[in-house]
Amino acid sequence: ALDPNGLSNTRTTLTSPLINFVMWNMSYHSEHHLYTLIPFHSLPKAHTLLKKHLVNVSEGHISVHRQVLSTWIAEQNDALMKGKEKAAAKAA
C-alpha cells in the first residue's frame, strides 16, 4: 500500500552545501513535497523546523543509493522465493 503521510513517504538527503546549491536545495525533498510553495532558498530553514518529524533523513546520496539497492535486492529475493514455493506446491 502507498503511504499517504508526507512525513514518511519522501526522503531528505543531507549533503554538501555545493550539492545543495547545484540542485537548488532539492535534497530537502520531504520539505519540498510537504510545502511546495516554499522557495528553494528557504528549504534549509524548513528542514530545521521539521527535522524531528521526518521519518526518512539520510546522510548523503551514496547512503541513499546503498539503502535503496539493498531494499530492492531483498524484495527481489523474497519474490523469487515465493515463486519457487508456489511452483513446488503446484508440482506436488
Side-chain angles (χ1 to χ4, degrees):
L2 295 176
D3 181 1
N5 184 346
L7 295 170
S8 60
N9 68 7
T10 55
R11 174 186 317 276
T12 286
T13 303
L14 304 178
T15 189
S16 73
L18 176 63
I19 297 295
N20 278 334
F21 174 76
V22 170
M23 295 179 58
W24 289 24
N25 286 326
M26 281 303 118
S27 292
Y28 296 107
H29 207 69
S30 297
E31 298 81 355
H32 163 72
H33 277 270
L34 285 166
Y35 301 99
T36 57
L37 297 178
I38 293 178
F40 74 94
H41 55 82
S42 296
L43 290 170
K45 183 174 182 179
H47 175 73
T48 300
L49 297 171
L50 292 167
K51 65 183 173 184
K52 65 182 175 186
H53 303 288
L54 299 175
V55 174
N56 297 306
V57 178
S58 299
E59 294 286 336
H61 292 283
I62 292 173
S63 170
V64 169
H65 284 85
R66 188 178 299 127
Q67 181 184 7
V68 168
L69 184 59
S70 66
T71 300
W72 181 80
I73 289 170
E75 289 173 352
Q76 298 308 305
N77 286 336
D78 288 348
L80 183 62
M81 292 306 292
K82 286 179 184 174
K84 286 181 179 180
E85 290 170 1
K86 201 179 228 183
K90 198 174 193 180

